[in-house]
Coordinates of all heavy atoms in Angstrom, one line a residue:
P11 N 218.6 62.8 142.8 CA 218.9 64.2 142.9 C 219.6 64.9 141.7 O 220.2 64.2 140.8 CB 220.0 64.2 144.0 CG 220.6 62.8 143.9 CD 219.5 61.9 143.5
L12 N 219.4 66.2 141.6 CA 220.1 67.0 140.6 C 221.5 67.2 141.0 O 222.4 67.3 140.2 CB 219.4 68.3 140.3 CG 217.9 68.2 139.9 CD1 217.3 69.6 139.9 CD2 217.8 67.6 138.5
A13 N 221.7 67.3 142.3 CA 223.0 67.6 142.9 C 223.2 67.0 144.2 O 222.2 66.9 145.0 CB 223.3 69.1 142.9
I14 N 224.4 66.6 144.5 CA 224.8 66.1 145.9 C 226.0 66.8 146.3 O 227.0 66.8 145.6 CB 225.1 64.6 145.9 CG1 223.8 63.8 145.5 CG2 225.5 64.1 147.3 CD1 224.1 62.3 145.3
I15 N 225.9 67.5 147.4 CA 227.1 68.2 148.0 C 227.3 67.6 149.4 O 226.5 67.8 150.3 CB 226.9 69.7 148.1 CG1 226.5 70.3 146.8 CG2 228.1 70.4 148.7 CD1 226.1 71.8 146.8
T16 N 228.4 67.0 149.6 CA 228.8 66.4 150.9 C 229.7 67.4 151.6 O 230.5 68.1 151.0 CB 229.4 65.0 150.8 OG1 229.7 64.5 152.1 CG2 230.8 65.1 150.1
Y17 N 229.5 67.5 152.9 CA 230.3 68.4 153.7 C 230.6 67.8 155.1 O 230.1 66.7 155.4 CB 229.6 69.8 153.9 CG 228.2 69.7 154.5 CD1 228.0 69.8 155.8 CD2 227.1 69.5 153.6 CE1 226.7 69.7 156.4 CE2 225.8 69.4 154.2 CZ 225.6 69.5 155.5 OH 224.4 69.4 156.1
G18 N 231.4 68.5 155.9 CA 231.7 68.0 157.2 C 232.8 67.0 157.2 O 233.7 67.0 156.3
S19 N 232.8 66.1 158.2 CA 234.0 65.3 158.4 C 234.3 64.3 157.3 O 235.4 64.0 157.0 CB 233.9 64.5 159.8 OG 232.7 63.7 159.7
Y20 N 233.2 63.7 156.7 CA 233.5 62.8 155.6 C 234.0 63.5 154.3 O 234.7 62.9 153.5 CB 232.2 62.0 155.3 CG 232.0 60.8 156.2 CD1 231.1 60.9 157.2 CD2 232.8 59.7 156.1 CE1 230.9 59.8 158.1 CE2 232.6 58.6 156.9 CZ 231.7 58.7 157.9 OH 231.5 57.6 158.7
A21 N 233.7 64.8 154.2 CA 234.2 65.6 153.1 C 235.7 66.0 153.3 O 236.4 66.0 152.3 CB 233.3 66.8 152.9
N22 N 236.1 66.3 154.5 CA 237.4 66.7 154.7 C 238.4 65.6 155.3 O 239.5 65.9 155.6 CB 237.5 68.0 155.6 CG 236.9 67.7 157.0 OD1 237.0 66.7 157.6 ND2 236.2 68.8 157.5
G23 N 237.8 64.4 155.5 CA 238.7 63.3 155.9 C 238.9 63.2 157.4 O 239.8 62.5 157.8
T24 N 238.2 63.9 158.2 CA 238.4 63.9 159.6 C 237.4 63.0 160.3 O 237.2 63.0 161.5 CB 238.3 65.3 160.3 OG1 237.0 65.8 160.0 CG2 239.4 66.2 159.7
N25 N 236.6 62.2 159.6 CA 235.6 61.3 160.1 C 236.2 60.2 161.0 O 237.3 59.8 160.8 CB 234.7 60.7 159.0 CG 235.6 59.9 158.0 OD1 236.3 60.5 157.2 ND2 235.5 58.6 158.0
N26 N 235.4 59.8 162.0 CA 235.7 58.6 162.8 C 234.5 57.7 162.9 O 233.5 57.9 162.2 CB 236.2 59.1 164.2 CG 235.3 60.0 164.9 OD1 234.1 59.7 164.9 ND2 235.8 61.1 165.5
Q27 N 234.6 56.8 163.8 CA 233.5 55.8 163.9 C 232.2 56.4 164.4 O 231.1 55.8 164.2 CB 233.9 54.7 164.9 CG 234.2 55.1 166.3 CD 234.6 54.0 167.2 OE1 234.6 52.8 166.8 NE2 234.9 54.3 168.4
N28 N 232.2 57.6 165.0 CA 231.0 58.2 165.5 C 230.5 59.3 164.5 O 229.5 60.0 164.9 CB 231.2 58.8 166.8 CG 231.6 57.8 167.9 OD1 231.0 56.7 167.9 ND2 232.6 58.0 168.7
S29 N 231.1 59.5 163.4 CA 230.7 60.6 162.5 C 229.5 60.3 161.7 O 229.3 59.2 161.3 CB 231.9 60.9 161.6 OG 233.0 61.3 162.3
D30 N 228.7 61.3 161.5 CA 227.5 61.2 160.6 C 228.0 61.6 159.2 O 229.1 62.2 159.0 CB 226.4 62.2 160.9 CG 225.8 61.9 162.3 OD1 225.9 60.8 162.7 OD2 225.1 62.8 162.8
Y31 N 227.3 61.1 158.2 CA 227.6 61.5 156.8 C 226.7 62.7 156.5 O 225.4 62.5 156.4 CB 227.4 60.4 155.8 CG 227.6 60.7 154.4 CD1 228.9 60.6 153.9 CD2 226.6 61.1 153.6 CE1 229.2 60.9 152.6 CE2 226.9 61.5 152.2 CZ 228.2 61.4 151.8 OH 228.5 61.7 150.5
D32 N 227.3 63.9 156.3 CA 226.5 65.1 156.0 C 226.5 65.4 154.6 O 227.5 65.4 153.9 CB 227.1 66.3 156.8 CG 227.2 66.0 158.3 OD1 226.2 65.9 158.9 OD2 228.4 65.9 158.8
A33 N 225.3 65.7 154.0 CA 225.2 66.1 152.6 C 223.9 66.9 152.4 O 223.0 66.8 153.2 CB 225.2 64.9 151.7
L34 N 224.0 67.7 151.4 CA 222.8 68.5 150.9 C 222.5 68.0 149.5 O 223.4 67.9 148.6 CB 223.1 70.0 150.9 CG 222.0 70.9 150.5 CD1 222.1 72.2 151.2 CD2 222.0 71.2 149.0
L35 N 221.2 67.7 149.3 CA 220.8 67.2 148.0 C 219.8 68.3 147.4 O 219.0 68.9 148.1 CB 220.0 65.9 148.1 CG 220.8 64.6 148.0 CD1 221.9 64.5 149.1 CD2 219.9 63.4 148.0
I36 N 219.9 68.4 146.1 CA 219.0 69.3 145.4 C 218.2 68.4 144.5 O 218.7 67.6 143.7 CB 219.7 70.4 144.6 CG1 220.5 71.3 145.5 CG2 218.6 71.2 143.8 CD1 221.4 72.3 144.7
V37 N 216.8 68.4 144.6 CA 216.0 67.6 143.8 C 215.1 68.5 142.9 O 215.0 69.7 143.2 CB 215.1 66.6 144.6 CG1 216.0 65.6 145.3 CG2 214.3 67.4 145.6
S38 N 214.4 67.9 141.9 CA 213.7 68.8 141.0 C 212.5 69.4 141.6 O 212.1 70.6 141.3 CB 213.3 67.9 139.7 OG 212.5 66.8 140.1
D39 N 211.7 68.7 142.4 CA 210.5 69.3 143.0 C 210.2 68.6 144.4 O 211.0 67.7 144.8 CB 209.3 69.2 142.1 CG 209.1 67.7 141.6 OD1 209.5 66.8 142.3 OD2 208.6 67.6 140.5
G40 N 209.1 68.9 144.9 CA 208.7 68.3 146.2 C 208.9 69.2 147.4 O 209.0 70.4 147.2
E41 N 209.0 68.7 148.6 CA 209.1 69.4 149.8 C 210.5 69.2 150.4 O 211.2 68.2 150.1 CB 208.1 69.0 150.8 CG 206.6 69.2 150.4 CD 206.3 70.7 150.2 OE1 206.9 71.5 151.0 OE2 205.5 71.0 149.3
K42 N 211.0 70.1 151.2 CA 212.2 69.9 151.9 C 212.1 68.7 152.8 O 211.1 68.5 153.5 CB 212.5 71.2 152.8 CG 213.8 71.0 153.6 CD 214.0 72.3 154.5 CE 215.2 72.1 155.4 NZ 215.5 73.2 156.3
Q43 N 213.1 67.9 152.9 CA 213.1 66.7 153.7 C 214.4 66.5 154.5 O 215.4 67.2 154.1 CB 212.9 65.4 152.8 CG 211.7 65.4 152.0 CD 211.6 64.2 151.1 OE1 211.6 63.0 151.6 NE2 211.6 64.4 149.8
H44 N 214.4 65.7 155.5 CA 215.6 65.3 156.2 C 215.7 63.8 156.3 O 214.7 63.2 156.8 CB 215.6 66.0 157.6 CG 216.8 65.7 158.4 ND1 216.8 65.2 159.7 CD2 218.2 65.8 158.1 CE1 218.0 65.0 160.1 NE2 218.9 65.4 159.2
D45 N 216.8 63.2 156.0 CA 217.0 61.8 156.0 C 218.1 61.4 157.0 O 219.2 61.9 156.9 CB 217.4 61.3 154.6 CG 217.4 59.7 154.5 OD1 217.5 59.1 155.5 OD2 217.2 59.2 153.4
C46 N 217.7 60.7 158.0 CA 218.7 60.2 159.0 C 218.8 58.7 159.1 O 218.9 58.1 160.1 CB 218.3 60.8 160.4 SG 216.7 60.4 161.0
S47 N 218.7 58.1 157.9 CA 218.8 56.7 157.8 C 220.2 56.2 158.1 O 221.1 57.0 158.2 CB 218.4 56.2 156.3 OG 217.1 56.6 156.0
V48 N 220.3 54.9 158.2 CA 221.7 54.3 158.4 C 222.0 53.4 157.3 O 221.2 52.5 156.9 CB 221.7 53.4 159.7 CG1 223.0 52.8 159.9 CG2 221.3 54.3 160.9
V49 N 223.2 53.7 156.6 CA 223.6 52.9 155.5 C 225.0 52.3 155.9 O 225.9 53.0 156.2 CB 223.7 53.8 154.2 CG1 224.3 52.9 153.1 CG2 222.4 54.3 153.8
D50 N 225.1 51.0 155.8 CA 226.3 50.3 156.2 C 226.9 50.7 157.5 O 228.1 50.9 157.7 CB 227.4 50.5 155.1 CG 227.1 49.8 153.8 OD1 226.3 48.9 153.8 OD2 227.6 50.2 152.8
G51 N 226.0 51.0 158.5 CA 226.4 51.3 159.8 C 226.7 52.8 160.0 O 227.0 53.2 161.1
I52 N 226.6 53.6 158.9 CA 226.9 55.0 159.0 C 225.6 55.8 159.0 O 224.7 55.6 158.2 CB 227.7 55.4 157.8 CG1 229.0 54.7 157.8 CG2 227.9 57.0 157.8 CD1 229.8 54.8 156.5
V53 N 225.4 56.7 160.0 CA 224.2 57.5 160.2 C 224.3 58.6 159.2 O 225.3 59.4 159.1 CB 224.1 58.0 161.6 CG1 222.9 58.9 161.8 CG2 224.1 56.9 162.6
L54 N 223.2 58.8 158.5 CA 223.1 59.9 157.5 C 222.5 61.1 158.1 O 221.7 61.0 159.0 CB 222.3 59.5 156.3 CG 222.7 58.2 155.6 CD1 221.8 58.0 154.3 CD2 224.1 58.2 155.2
D55 N 223.0 62.3 157.7 CA 222.4 63.6 158.1 C 222.2 64.4 156.8 O 223.0 65.2 156.5 CB 223.3 64.3 159.1 CG 222.6 65.5 159.7 OD1 221.4 65.7 159.5 OD2 223.3 66.3 160.4
I56 N 221.2 64.0 156.1 CA 221.0 64.5 154.7 C 219.8 65.5 154.6 O 218.7 65.2 155.1 CB 220.7 63.4 153.7 CG1 221.7 62.2 153.9 CG2 220.7 63.9 152.3 CD1 223.1 62.6 153.6
F57 N 220.0 66.7 154.1 CA 219.0 67.6 153.9 C 218.7 67.7 152.4 O 219.6 67.9 151.5 CB 219.4 69.0 154.4 CG 219.5 69.1 155.9 CD1 220.7 68.8 156.5 CD2 218.4 69.4 156.6 CE1 220.7 68.8 157.9 CE2 218.4 69.4 158.0 CZ 219.6 69.1 158.7

């Protein structure tokens, strides 16, 4: 990515065990995508 902006509970420190990791990525080209992978047990909600 050219940029990563995280927001939501992980950004403001209110996350708990059920929280997703929210972030917006800017990339150089391609199509808009959504990533809901799991990393280290944390569900991603990445645009």
Side-chain angles (χ1 to χ4, degrees):
L12 302 174
I14 300 175
I15 305 175
T16 183
Y17 56 91
S19 59
Y20 278 105
N22 60 33
T24 61
N25 57 288
N26 55 43
Q27 62 181 356
N28 298 315
S29 297
D30 294 344
Y31 180 86
D32 304 295
L34 182 147
L35 272 59
I36 301 174
V37 296
S38 57
D39 54 25
E41 300 293 328
K42 177 184 174 182
Q43 302 178 61
H44 181 232
D45 189 335
C46 54
S47 302
V48 178
V49 176
D50 291 339
I52 299 169
V53 179
L54 306 185
D55 191 9
I56 311 295
F57 290 90

